[in-house]
């Protein structure tokens, strides 16, 4: 009988537990949404990074070609 009395859950305890569970559910939903948005941003940034790398590589190649032409002109004169 002693054990039964110590385990008894009161109505305020249940209300408090219910409130905490609701908060956890809301937090979980908010974090899922935030995670989804972060993954979308990461994907967009990855695409942007790839485009910028491609532009950078093109600019490097064009610059190297101009330097080669300038050196060729320098040698010819």
């Amino acid at each position: 009988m002693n054990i039964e009395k110590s385990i008894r859950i009161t109505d305020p305890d249940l209300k408090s537990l219910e409130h905490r569970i609701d908060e956890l559910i809301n937090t979980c939903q908010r974090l899922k949404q935030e995670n989804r948005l972060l993954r979308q941003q990461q994907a967009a940034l990855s695409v942007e990074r790839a485009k910028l790398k491609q532009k950078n590589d093109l600019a490097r190649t064009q610059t190297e070609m101009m330097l080669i032409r300038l050196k060729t002109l320098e040698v010819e004169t």
Side-chain angles (χ1 to χ4, degrees), residues 56-72:
N56 192 28
D57 291 344
L58 179 62
R60 180 181 294 111
T61 301
Q62 290 174 340
T63 302
E64 288 171 354
M65 294 302 293
M66 284 189 277
L67 286 172
I68 290 171
R69 281 189 234 135
L70 284 172
K71 286 179 183 179
T72 303

Side-chain angles (χ1 to χ4, degrees), residues 3-55:
I3 295 174
E4 289 178 13
K5 287 183 179 180
S6 64
I7 313 179
R8 192 172 14 164
I9 299 175
T10 63
D11 191 43
D13 291 337
L14 286 175
K15 293 288 184 191
S16 175
L17 182 58
E18 182 180 5
H19 179 70
R20 291 183 66 199
I21 290 172
D22 287 342
E23 286 179 340
L24 285 172
I25 290 170
N26 289 336
T27 300
C28 185
Q29 289 172 342
R30 181 181 53 79
L31 289 173
K32 281 182 181 180
Q33 177 65 19
E34 184 179 331
N35 193 25
R36 188 173 21 260
L37 290 173
L38 288 171
R39 288 181 190 274
Q40 288 173 352
Q41 288 175 352
Q42 181 183 16
L45 289 171
S46 292
V47 169
E48 182 181 1
R49 180 181 181 275
K51 288 178 181 178
L52 290 172
K53 186 181 180 319
Q54 187 178 18
K55 277 183 163 182

